[in-house]
Every structure is written in C-alpha cells, then in structure tokens.
PDB file of all heavy atoms in Angstrom:
ATOM      1  N   PHE H  10      89.320  21.041 -50.753  1.00 87.00           N
ATOM      2  CA  PHE H  10      88.094  20.329 -50.430  1.00 87.00           C
ATOM      3  C   PHE H  10      87.782  20.343 -48.932  1.00 87.00           C
ATOM      4  O   PHE H  10      88.675  20.507 -48.098  1.00 87.00           O
ATOM      5  CB  PHE H  10      88.166  18.880 -50.920  1.00 87.00           C
ATOM      6  CG  PHE H  10      89.341  18.095 -50.385  1.00 87.00           C
ATOM      7  CD1 PHE H  10      89.256  17.409 -49.183  1.00 87.00           C
ATOM      8  CD2 PHE H  10      90.537  18.048 -51.087  1.00 87.00           C
ATOM      9  CE1 PHE H  10      90.327  16.688 -48.697  1.00 87.00           C
ATOM     10  CE2 PHE H  10      91.619  17.328 -50.611  1.00 87.00           C
ATOM     11  CZ  PHE H  10      91.525  16.647 -49.409  1.00 87.00           C
ATOM     12  N   THR H  11      86.502  20.164 -48.604  1.00 80.00           N
ATOM     13  CA  THR H  11      86.070  20.005 -47.207  1.00 80.00           C
ATOM     14  C   THR H  11      85.277  18.711 -47.009  1.00 80.00           C
ATOM     15  O   THR H  11      84.911  18.387 -45.884  1.00 80.00           O
ATOM     16  CB  THR H  11      85.208  21.193 -46.755  1.00 80.00           C
ATOM     17  OG1 THR H  11      84.106  21.356 -47.655  1.00 80.00           O
ATOM     18  CG2 THR H  11      86.029  22.470 -46.717  1.00 80.00           C
ATOM     19  N   PHE H  12      85.012  17.997 -48.103  1.00 83.00           N
ATOM     20  CA  PHE H  12      84.350  16.690 -48.021  1.00 83.00           C
ATOM     21  C   PHE H  12      84.996  15.745 -49.028  1.00 83.00           C
ATOM     22  O   PHE H  12      85.439  16.157 -50.103  1.00 83.00           O
ATOM     23  CB  PHE H  12      82.847  16.796 -48.335  1.00 83.00           C
ATOM     24  CG  PHE H  12      82.021  17.313 -47.211  1.00 83.00           C
ATOM     25  CD1 PHE H  12      81.861  18.680 -47.027  1.00 83.00           C
ATOM     26  CD2 PHE H  12      81.404  16.448 -46.315  1.00 83.00           C
ATOM     27  CE1 PHE H  12      81.101  19.171 -45.990  1.00 83.00           C
ATOM     28  CE2 PHE H  12      80.638  16.926 -45.265  1.00 83.00           C
ATOM     29  CZ  PHE H  12      80.486  18.287 -45.099  1.00 83.00           C
ATOM     30  N   TYR H  13      85.043  14.466 -48.671  1.00 87.00           N
ATOM     31  CA  TYR H  13      85.446  13.429 -49.613  1.00 87.00           C
ATOM     32  C   TYR H  13      84.422  12.305 -49.545  1.00 87.00           C
ATOM     33  O   TYR H  13      84.178  11.745 -48.465  1.00 87.00           O
ATOM     34  CB  TYR H  13      86.845  12.886 -49.310  1.00 87.00           C
ATOM     35  CG  TYR H  13      87.332  11.914 -50.368  1.00 87.00           C
ATOM     36  CD1 TYR H  13      87.999  12.357 -51.491  1.00 87.00           C
ATOM     37  CD2 TYR H  13      87.073  10.549 -50.255  1.00 87.00           C
ATOM     38  CE1 TYR H  13      88.418  11.483 -52.488  1.00 87.00           C
ATOM     39  CE2 TYR H  13      87.486   9.664 -51.233  1.00 87.00           C
ATOM     40  CZ  TYR H  13      88.149  10.126 -52.346  1.00 87.00           C
ATOM     41  OH  TYR H  13      88.547   9.252 -53.329  1.00 87.00           O
ATOM     42  N   ASP H  14      83.800  12.021 -50.675  1.00 88.00           N
ATOM     43  CA  ASP H  14      82.747  11.000 -50.770  1.00 88.00           C
ATOM     44  C   ASP H  14      81.687  11.210 -49.679  1.00 88.00           C
ATOM     45  O   ASP H  14      81.224  10.252 -49.042  1.00 88.00           O
ATOM     46  CB  ASP H  14      83.340   9.592 -50.684  1.00 88.00           C
ATOM     47  CG  ASP H  14      82.358   8.524 -51.171  1.00 88.00           C
ATOM     48  OD1 ASP H  14      81.390   8.890 -51.868  1.00 88.00           O
ATOM     49  OD2 ASP H  14      82.556   7.345 -50.829  1.00 88.00           O
ATOM     50  N   GLY H  15      81.334  12.483 -49.463  1.00 80.00           N
ATOM     51  CA  GLY H  15      80.269  12.823 -48.538  1.00 80.00           C
ATOM     52  C   GLY H  15      80.666  12.887 -47.078  1.00 80.00           C
ATOM     53  O   GLY H  15      79.837  13.177 -46.210  1.00 80.00           O
ATOM     54  N   THR H  16      81.945  12.631 -46.766  1.00 76.00           N
ATOM     55  CA  THR H  16      82.428  12.654 -45.384  1.00 76.00           C
ATOM     56  C   THR H  16      83.307  13.878 -45.166  1.00 76.00           C
ATOM     57  O   THR H  16      84.151  14.197 -45.992  1.00 76.00           O
ATOM     58  CB  THR H  16      83.224  11.374 -45.067  1.00 76.00           C
ATOM     59  OG1 THR H  16      82.369  10.242 -45.219  1.00 76.00           O
ATOM     60  CG2 THR H  16      83.762  11.398 -43.641  1.00 76.00           C
ATOM     61  N   SER H  17      83.113  14.556 -44.034  1.00 70.00           N
ATOM     62  CA  SER H  17      83.871  15.765 -43.746  1.00 70.00           C
ATOM     63  C   SER H  17      85.371  15.483 -43.647  1.00 70.00           C
ATOM     64  O   SER H  17      85.800  14.640 -42.860  1.00 70.00           O
ATOM     65  CB  SER H  17      83.374  16.375 -42.428  1.00 70.00           C
ATOM     66  OG  SER H  17      84.157  17.477 -42.055  1.00 70.00           O
ATOM     67  N   ARG H  18      86.134  16.178 -44.477  1.00 76.00           N
ATOM     68  CA  ARG H  18      87.594  16.144 -44.418  1.00 76.00           C
ATOM     69  C   ARG H  18      88.092  17.516 -44.836  1.00 76.00           C
ATOM     70  O   ARG H  18      87.988  17.887 -45.998  1.00 76.00           O
ATOM     71  CB  ARG H  18      88.172  15.074 -45.351  1.00 76.00           C
ATOM     72  CG  ARG H  18      88.001  13.649 -44.852  1.00 76.00           C
ATOM     73  CD  ARG H  18      88.796  13.384 -43.592  1.00 76.00           C
ATOM     74  NE  ARG H  18      88.703  12.012 -43.180  1.00 76.00           N
ATOM     75  CZ  ARG H  18      87.754  11.511 -42.405  1.00 76.00           C
ATOM     76  NH1 ARG H  18      86.795  12.288 -41.973  1.00 76.00           N
ATOM     77  NH2 ARG H  18      87.765  10.246 -42.058  1.00 76.00           N
ATOM     78  N   ASN H  19      88.636  18.254 -43.914  1.00 73.00           N
ATOM     79  CA  ASN H  19      89.037  19.624 -44.195  1.00 73.00           C
ATOM     80  C   ASN H  19      90.438  19.693 -44.797  1.00 73.00           C
ATOM     81  O   ASN H  19      91.434  19.655 -44.083  1.00 73.00           O
ATOM     82  CB  ASN H  19      88.947  20.469 -42.922  1.00 73.00           C
ATOM     83  CG  ASN H  19      87.516  20.773 -42.569  1.00 73.00           C
ATOM     84  OD1 ASN H  19      86.741  21.195 -43.420  1.00 73.00           O
ATOM     85  ND2 ASN H  19      87.146  20.543 -41.329  1.00 73.00           N
ATOM     86  N   TYR H  20      90.501  19.726 -46.153  1.00 82.00           N
ATOM     87  CA  TYR H  20      91.701  20.023 -46.934  1.00 82.00           C
ATOM     88  C   TYR H  20      92.725  18.887 -46.992  1.00 82.00           C
ATOM     89  O   TYR H  20      93.700  18.972 -47.719  1.00 82.00           O
ATOM     90  CB  TYR H  20      92.382  21.308 -46.426  1.00 82.00           C
ATOM     91  CG  TYR H  20      91.416  22.423 -46.138  1.00 82.00           C
ATOM     92  CD1 TYR H  20      91.249  22.923 -44.854  1.00 82.00           C
ATOM     93  CD2 TYR H  20      90.622  22.954 -47.157  1.00 82.00           C
ATOM     94  CE1 TYR H  20      90.330  23.934 -44.591  1.00 82.00           C
ATOM     95  CE2 TYR H  20      89.704  23.957 -46.897  1.00 82.00           C
ATOM     96  CZ  TYR H  20      89.565  24.443 -45.612  1.00 82.00           C
ATOM     97  OH  TYR H  20      88.660  25.437 -45.362  1.00 82.00           O
ATOM     98  N   PHE H  21      92.519  17.808 -46.242  1.00 84.00           N
ATOM     99  CA  PHE H  21      93.527  16.764 -46.120  1.00 84.00           C
ATOM    100  C   PHE H  21      92.819  15.447 -45.844  1.00 84.00           C
ATOM    101  O   PHE H  21      91.899  15.386 -45.041  1.00 84.00           O
ATOM    102  CB  PHE H  21      94.469  17.113 -44.964  1.00 84.00           C
ATOM    103  CG  PHE H  21      95.610  16.154 -44.771  1.00 84.00           C
ATOM    104  CD1 PHE H  21      96.740  16.244 -45.567  1.00 84.00           C
ATOM    105  CD2 PHE H  21      95.563  15.185 -43.784  1.00 84.00           C
ATOM    106  CE1 PHE H  21      97.799  15.378 -45.382  1.00 84.00           C
ATOM    107  CE2 PHE H  21      96.626  14.317 -43.594  1.00 84.00           C
ATOM    108  CZ  PHE H  21      97.752  14.415 -44.398  1.00 84.00           C
ATOM    109  N   ALA H  22      93.212  14.377 -46.532  1.00 87.00           N
ATOM    110  CA  ALA H  22      92.569  13.080 -46.317  1.00 87.00           C
ATOM    111  C   ALA H  22      93.514  11.959 -46.710  1.00 87.00           C
ATOM    112  O   ALA H  22      94.481  12.155 -47.453  1.00 87.00           O
ATOM    113  CB  ALA H  22      91.278  12.976 -47.129  1.00 87.00           C
ATOM    114  N   ARG H  23      93.207  10.754 -46.219  1.00 88.00           N
ATOM    115  CA  ARG H  23      93.937   9.558 -46.614  1.00 88.00           C
ATOM    116  C   ARG H  23      92.952   8.591 -47.256  1.00 88.00           C
ATOM    117  O   ARG H  23      91.872   8.352 -46.715  1.00 88.00           O
ATOM    118  CB  ARG H  23      94.631   8.899 -45.427  1.00 88.00           C
ATOM    119  CG  ARG H  23      95.527   7.722 -45.820  1.00 88.00           C
ATOM    120  CD  ARG H  23      96.381   7.256 -44.657  1.00 88.00           C
ATOM    121  NE  ARG H  23      95.585   6.690 -43.591  1.00 88.00           N
ATOM    122  CZ  ARG H  23      96.049   6.466 -42.354  1.00 88.00           C
ATOM    123  NH1 ARG H  23      97.279   6.793 -42.055  1.00 88.00           N
ATOM    124  NH2 ARG H  23      95.269   5.946 -41.431  1.00 88.00           N
ATOM    125  N   LEU H  24      93.330   8.035 -48.416  1.00 92.00           N
ATOM    126  CA  LEU H  24      92.474   7.116 -49.157  1.00 92.00           C
ATOM    127  C   LEU H  24      93.071   5.721 -49.136  1.00 92.00           C
ATOM    128  O   LEU H  24      94.292   5.543 -49.064  1.00 92.00           O
ATOM    129  CB  LEU H  24      92.336   7.569 -50.614  1.00 92.00           C
ATOM    130  CG  LEU H  24      92.024   9.050 -50.877  1.00 92.00           C
ATOM    131  CD1 LEU H  24      91.892   9.271 -52.378  1.00 92.00           C
ATOM    132  CD2 LEU H  24      90.779   9.488 -50.142  1.00 92.00           C
ATOM    133  N   ASN H  25      92.188   4.736 -49.193  1.00 91.00           N
ATOM    134  CA  ASN H  25      92.639   3.377 -49.427  1.00 91.00           C
ATOM    135  C   ASN H  25      93.054   3.234 -50.890  1.00 91.00           C
ATOM    136  O   ASN H  25      92.754   4.086 -51.730  1.00 91.00           O
ATOM    137  CB  ASN H  25      91.521   2.395 -49.083  1.00 91.00           C
ATOM    138  CG  ASN H  25      91.149   2.457 -47.621  1.00 91.00           C
ATOM    139  OD1 ASN H  25      92.017   2.389 -46.754  1.00 91.00           O
ATOM    140  ND2 ASN H  25      89.872   2.591 -47.335  1.00 91.00           N
ATOM    141  N   SER H  26      93.733   2.135 -51.222  1.00 92.00           N
ATOM    142  CA  SER H  26      94.262   1.963 -52.577  1.00 92.00           C
ATOM    143  C   SER H  26      93.157   1.829 -53.624  1.00 92.00           C
ATOM    144  O   SER H  26      93.424   2.010 -54.813  1.00 92.00           O
ATOM    145  CB  SER H  26      95.177   0.738 -52.632  1.00 92.00           C
ATOM    146  OG  SER H  26      94.455  -0.419 -52.240  1.00 92.00           O
ATOM    147  N   ASP H  27      91.915   1.542 -53.178  1.00 93.00           N
ATOM    148  CA  ASP H  27      90.806   1.441 -54.128  1.00 93.00           C
ATOM    149  C   ASP H  27      90.054   2.752 -54.315  1.00 93.00           C
ATOM    150  O   ASP H  27      89.021   2.803 -54.965  1.00 93.00           O
ATOM    151  CB  ASP H  27      89.832   0.339 -53.698  1.00 93.00           C
ATOM    152  CG  ASP H  27      89.170   0.631 -52.356  1.00 93.00           C
ATOM    153  OD1 ASP H  27      89.475   1.680 -51.743  1.00 93.00           O
ATOM    154  OD2 ASP H  27      88.352  -0.199 -51.918  1.00 93.00           O
ATOM    155  N   GLY H  28      90.571   3.836 -53.709  1.00 93.00           N
ATOM    156  CA  GLY H  28      89.943   5.149 -53.858  1.00 93.00           C
ATOM    157  C   GLY H  28      88.958   5.508 -52.780  1.00 93.00           C
ATOM    158  O   GLY H  28      88.527   6.658 -52.693  1.00 93.00           O
ATOM    159  N   SER H  29      88.597   4.558 -51.929  1.00 92.00           N
ATOM    160  CA  SER H  29      87.670   4.853 -50.836  1.00 92.00           C
ATOM    161  C   SER H  29      88.387   5.597 -49.717  1.00 92.00           C
ATOM    162  O   SER H  29      89.620   5.533 -49.592  1.00 92.00           O
ATOM    163  CB  SER H  29      87.067   3.556 -50.284  1.00 92.00           C
ATOM    164  OG  SER H  29      88.078   2.715 -49.737  1.00 92.00           O
ATOM    165  N   LEU H  30      87.634   6.325 -48.907  1.00 88.00           N
ATOM    166  CA  LEU H  30      88.206   7.096 -47.805  1.00 88.00           C
ATOM    167  C   LEU H  30      88.679   6.167 -46.698  1.00 88.00           C
ATOM    168  O   LEU H  30      87.958   5.256 -46.286  1.00 88.00           O
ATOM    169  CB  LEU H  30      87.153   8.067 -47.260  1.00 88.00           C
ATOM    170  CG  LEU H  30      87.612   8.992 -46.132  1.00 88.00           C
ATOM    171  CD1 LEU H  30      88.640   9.992 -46.650  1.00 88.00           C
ATOM    172  CD2 LEU H  30      86.423   9.731 -45.539  1.00 88.00           C
ATOM    173  N   ASP H  31      89.883   6.388 -46.210  1.00 83.00           N
ATOM    174  CA  ASP H  31      90.393   5.647 -45.060  1.00 83.00           C
ATOM    175  C   ASP H  31      89.952   6.380 -43.796  1.00 83.00           C
ATOM    176  O   ASP H  31      90.473   7.440 -43.469  1.00 83.00           O
ATOM    177  CB  ASP H  31      91.916   5.558 -45.124  1.00 83.00           C
ATOM    178  CG  ASP H  31      92.493   4.799 -43.939  1.00 83.00           C
ATOM    179  OD1 ASP H  31      91.698   4.274 -43.133  1.00 83.00           O
ATOM    180  OD2 ASP H  31      93.725   4.745 -43.813  1.00 83.00           O
ATOM    181  N   SER H  32      88.968   5.810 -43.101  1.00 70.00           N
ATOM    182  CA  SER H  32      88.404   6.475 -41.914  1.00 70.00           C
ATOM    183  C   SER H  32      88.959   5.921 -40.615  1.00 70.00           C
ATOM    184  O   SER H  32      88.456   6.230 -39.542  1.00 70.00           O
ATOM    185  CB  SER H  32      86.876   6.321 -41.915  1.00 70.00           C
ATOM    186  OG  SER H  32      86.519   4.955 -41.887  1.00 70.00           O
ATOM    187  N   THR H  33      90.023   5.106 -40.693  1.00 63.00           N
ATOM    188  CA  THR H  33      90.516   4.460 -39.484  1.00 63.00           C
ATOM    189  C   THR H  33      91.235   5.410 -38.554  1.00 63.00           C
ATOM    190  O   THR H  33      91.364   5.149 -37.376  1.00 63.00           O
ATOM    191  CB  THR H  33      91.470   3.311 -39.838  1.00 63.00           C
ATOM    192  OG1 THR H  33      92.544   3.820 -40.638  1.00 63.00           O
ATOM    193  CG2 THR H  33      90.735   2.217 -40.593  1.00 63.00           C
ATOM    194  N   CYS H  34      91.689   6.540 -39.075  1.00 51.00           N
ATOM    195  CA  CYS H  34      92.407   7.471 -38.205  1.00 51.00           C
ATOM    196  C   CYS H  34      92.376   8.862 -38.809  1.00 51.00           C
ATOM    197  O   CYS H  34      92.803   9.058 -39.923  1.00 51.00           O
ATOM    198  CB  CYS H  34      93.855   7.030 -38.017  1.00 51.00           C
ATOM    199  SG  CYS H  34      94.814   8.124 -36.956  1.00 51.00           S
ATOM    200  N   VAL H  35      91.815   9.814 -38.089  1.00 49.00           N
ATOM    201  CA  VAL H  35      91.876  11.209 -38.502  1.00 49.00           C
ATOM    202  C   VAL H  35      92.693  11.917 -37.435  1.00 49.00           C
ATOM    203  O   VAL H  35      92.196  12.368 -36.426  1.00 49.00           O
ATOM    204  CB  VAL H  35      90.471  11.829 -38.617  1.00 49.00           C
ATOM    205  CG1 VAL H  35      90.583  13.275 -39.083  1.00 49.00           C
ATOM    206  CG2 VAL H  35      89.605  11.036 -39.586  1.00 49.00           C
ATOM    207  N   SER H  36      93.992  11.937 -37.661  1.00 48.00           N
ATOM    208  CA  SER H  36      94.941  12.468 -36.687  1.00 48.00           C
ATOM    209  C   SER H  36      94.886  11.677 -35.384  1.00 48.00           C
ATOM    210  O   SER H  36      95.521  12.043 -34.416  1.00 48.00           O
ATOM    211  CB  SER H  36      94.658  13.948 -36.398  1.00 48.00           C
ATOM    212  OG  SER H  36      95.652  14.511 -35.609  1.00 48.00           O
ATOM    213  N   CYS H  37      94.103  10.561 -35.386  1.00 48.00           N
ATOM    214  CA  CYS H  37      93.935   9.729 -34.186  1.00 48.00           C
ATOM    215  C   CYS H  37      93.613  10.586 -32.973  1.00 48.00           C
ATOM    216  O   CYS H  37      94.100  10.359 -31.872  1.00 48.00           O
ATOM    217  CB  CYS H  37      95.163   8.870 -33.938  1.00 48.00           C
ATOM    218  SG  CYS H  37      95.316   7.545 -35.142  1.00 48.00           S
ATOM    219  N   SER H  38      92.810  11.602 -33.166  1.00 71.00           N
ATOM    220  CA  SER H  38      92.489  12.527 -32.082  1.00 71.00           C
ATOM    221  C   SER H  38      91.036  12.937 -32.191  1.00 71.00           C
ATOM    222  O   SER H  38      90.556  13.271 -33.270  1.00 71.00           O
ATOM    223  CB  SER H  38      93.390  13.765 -32.165  1.00 71.00           C
ATOM    224  OG  SER H  38      93.037  14.706 -31.191  1.00 71.00           O
ATOM    225  N   GLY H  39      90.311  12.906 -31.070  1.00 88.00           N
ATOM    226  CA  GLY H  39      88.918  13.312 -31.083  1.00 88.00           C
ATOM    227  C   GLY H  39      88.058  12.390 -31.928  1.00 88.00           C
ATOM    228  O   GLY H  39      88.378  11.221 -32.149  1.00 88.00           O
ATOM    229  N   ALA H  40      86.926  12.922 -32.389  1.00 92.00           N
ATOM    230  CA  ALA H  40      85.978  12.148 -33.183  1.00 92.00           C
ATOM    231  C   ALA H  40      86.321  12.257 -34.664  1.00 92.00           C
ATOM    232  O   ALA H  40      86.696  13.325 -35.132  1.00 92.00           O
ATOM    233  CB  ALA H  40      84.561  12.655 -32.928  1.00 92.00           C
ATOM    234  N   ASN H  41      86.159  11.151 -35.407  1.00 88.00           N
ATOM    235  CA  ASN H  41      86.500  11.165 -36.829  1.00 88.00           C
ATOM    236  C   ASN H  41      85.357  11.656 -37.694  1.00 88.00           C
ATOM    237  O   ASN H  41      85.506  11.779 -38.903  1.00 88.00           O
ATOM    238  CB  ASN H  41      86.934   9.769 -37.293  1.00 88.00           C
ATOM    239  CG  ASN H  41      85.776   8.788 -37.353  1.00 88.00           C
ATOM    240  OD1 ASN H  41      84.873   8.837 -36.524  1.00 88.00           O
ATOM    241  ND2 ASN H  41      85.793   7.894 -38.323  1.00 88.00           N
ATOM    242  N   GLU H  42      84.217  11.922 -37.098  1.00 91.00           N
ATOM    243  CA  GLU H  42      83.084  12.488 -37.818  1.00 91.00           C
ATOM    244  C   GLU H  42      82.273  13.357 -36.856  1.00 91.00           C
ATOM    245  O   GLU H  42      82.582  13.484 -35.672  1.00 91.00           O
ATOM    246  CB  GLU H  42      82.208  11.396 -38.444  1.00 91.00           C
ATOM    247  CG  GLU H  42      82.371  11.291 -39.965  1.00 91.00           C
ATOM    248  CD  GLU H  42      81.997  12.563 -40.702  1.00 91.00           C
ATOM    249  OE1 GLU H  42      81.300  13.432 -40.128  1.00 91.00           O
ATOM    250  OE2 GLU H  42      82.405  12.716 -41.863  1.00 91.00           O
ATOM    251  N   VAL H  43      81.194  13.923 -37.386  1.00 95.00           N
ATOM    252  CA  VAL H  43      80.444  14.966 -36.683  1.00 95.00           C
ATOM    253  C   VAL H  43      79.890  14.499 -35.337  1.00 95.00           C
ATOM    254  O   VAL H  43      79.378  13.385 -35.209  1.00 95.00           O
ATOM    255  CB  VAL H  43      79.293  15.452 -37.589  1.00 95.00           C
ATOM    256  CG1 VAL H  43      78.295  16.295 -36.814  1.00 95.00           C
ATOM    257  CG2 VAL H  43      79.857  16.231 -38.769  1.00 95.00           C
ATOM    258  N   VAL H  44      79.987  15.365 -34.331  1.00 97.00           N
ATOM    259  CA  VAL H  44      79.310  15.196 -33.041  1.00 97.00           C
ATOM    260  C   VAL H  44      78.055  16.070 -33.060  1.00 97.00           C
ATOM    261  O   VAL H  44      78.137  17.276 -33.266  1.00 97.00           O
ATOM    262  CB  VAL H  44      80.226  15.602 -31.868  1.00 97.00           C
ATOM    263  CG1 VAL H  44      79.457  15.587 -30.549  1.00 97.00           C
ATOM    264  CG2 VAL H  44      81.434  14.676 -31.799  1.00 97.00           C
ATOM    265  N   ARG H  45      76.884  15.449 -32.875  1.00 97.00           N
ATOM    266  CA  ARG H  45      75.620  16.172 -32.962  1.00 97.00           C
ATOM    267  C   ARG H  45      74.979  16.466 -31.614  1.00 97.00           C
ATOM    268  O   ARG H  45      74.120  17.335 -31.515  1.00 97.00           O
ATOM    269  CB  ARG H  45      74.624  15.371 -33.813  1.00 97.00           C
ATOM    270  CG  ARG H  45      74.895  15.384 -35.306  1.00 97.00           C
ATOM    271  CD  ARG H  45      74.778  16.773 -35.912  1.00 97.00           C
ATOM    272  NE  ARG H  45      73.498  17.396 -35.682  1.00 97.00           N
ATOM    273  CZ  ARG H  45      72.468  17.369 -36.513  1.00 97.00           C
ATOM    274  NH1 ARG H  45      72.583  16.723 -37.664  1.00 97.00           N
ATOM    275  NH2 ARG H  45      71.346  17.985 -36.226  1.00 97.00           N
ATOM    276  N   SER H  46      75.349  15.728 -30.572  1.00 98.00           N
ATOM    277  CA  SER H  46      74.660  15.894 -29.295  1.00 98.00           C
ATOM    278  C   SER H  46      75.635  15.667 -28.152  1.00 98.00           C
ATOM    279  O   SER H  46      76.517  14.803 -28.237  1.00 98.00           O
ATOM    280  CB  SER H  46      73.493  14.899 -29.211  1.00 98.00           C
ATOM    281  OG  SER H  46      72.793  15.032 -27.992  1.00 98.00           O
ATOM    282  N   THR H  47      75.493  16.449 -27.079  1.00 98.00           N
ATOM    283  CA  THR H  47      76.341  16.315 -25.892  1.00 98.00           C
ATOM    284  C   THR H  47      75.491  16.404 -24.636  1.00 98.00           C
ATOM    285  O   THR H  47      74.539  17.186 -24.568  1.00 98.00           O
ATOM    286  CB  THR H  47      77.412  17.423 -25.844  1.00 98.00           C
ATOM    287  OG1 THR H  47      76.773  18.707 -25.995  1.00 98.00           O
ATOM    288  CG2 THR H  47      78.448  17.253 -26.932  1.00 98.00           C
ATOM    289  N   ASN H  48      75.828  15.596 -23.635  1.00 97.00           N
ATOM    290  CA  ASN H  48      75.181  15.640 -22.326  1.00 97.00           C
ATOM    291  C   ASN H  48      76.238  15.470 -21.254  1.00 97.00           C
ATOM    292  O   ASN H  48      77.220  14.740 -21.454  1.00 97.00           O
ATOM    293  CB  ASN H  48      74.143  14.523 -22.184  1.00 97.00           C
ATOM    294  CG  ASN H  48      72.947  14.704 -23.094  1.00 97.00           C
ATOM    295  OD1 ASN H  48      72.016  15.420 -22.781  1.00 97.00           O
ATOM    296  ND2 ASN H  48      72.979  14.032 -24.250  1.00 97.00           N
ATOM    297  N   ILE H  49      76.046  16.103 -20.112  1.00 96.00           N
ATOM    298  CA  ILE H  49      77.022  16.031 -19.034  1.00 96.00           C
ATOM    299  C   ILE H  49      76.390  15.333 -17.833  1.00 96.00           C
ATOM    300  O   ILE H  49      75.337  15.734 -17.339  1.00 96.00           O
ATOM    301  CB  ILE H  49      77.522  17.431 -18.652  1.00 96.00           C
ATOM    302  CG1 ILE H  49      78.205  18.064 -19.860  1.00 96.00           C
ATOM    303  CG2 ILE H  49      78.507  17.353 -17.483  1.00 96.00           C
ATOM    304  CD1 ILE H  49      78.575  19.512 -19.678  1.00 96.00           C
ATOM    305  N   GLN H  50      77.046  14.266 -17.358  1.00 95.00           N
ATOM    306  CA  GLN H  50      76.554  13.512 -16.211  1.00 95.00           C
ATOM    307  C   GLN H  50      76.835  14.261 -14.914  1.00 95.00           C
ATOM    308  O   GLN H  50      77.627  15.202 -14.873  1.00 95.00           O
ATOM    309  CB  GLN H  50      77.222  12.130 -16.175  1.00 95.00           C
ATOM    310  CG  GLN H  50      76.914  11.258 -17.364  1.00 95.00           C
ATOM    311  CD  GLN H  50      77.494   9.860 -17.242  1.00 95.00           C
ATOM    312  OE1 GLN H  50      77.114   8.980 -17.982  1.00 95.00           O
ATOM    313  NE2 GLN H  50      78.424   9.646 -16.326  1.00 95.00           N
TER     314      GLN H  50
END
C-alpha cells in the first residue's frame, strides 16, 4: 500500500487499536504529510 484511510503511507504504517491511523510519529523525522509549498527567507 501507499495510502491508509486516504493518508500517504508508503508500505508501512502504525494503527491505533481502533483501526485508525496513528499519525503521531512517522519515523519522527521530517513532515508526516505532504508539503505543498516552500519559501526561503
């Protein structure tokens, strides 16, 4: 899989005990979901 319940997860995910996606930590690195825009100060 590359998505779980509509959220990007490439081949690996952690779920809460009720079946919902656990979004509290995705390798605890970088952004846990899509980055759409960047600007440099």
Side-chain angles (χ1 to χ4, degrees):
F10 57 88
T11 55
F12 281 86
Y13 186 88
D14 196 18
T16 299
S17 175
R18 286 294 184 273
N19 286 312
Y20 316 116
F21 183 81
R23 186 170 66 195
L24 313 182
N25 297 310
S26 59
D27 63 359
S29 62
L30 182 68
D31 180 5
S32 60
T33 57
C34 180
V35 181
S36 188
C37 289
S38 176
N41 71 324
E42 254 299 342
V43 167
V44 173
R45 286 296 303 265
S46 180
T47 52
N48 292 277
I49 299 172
Q50 297 185 165

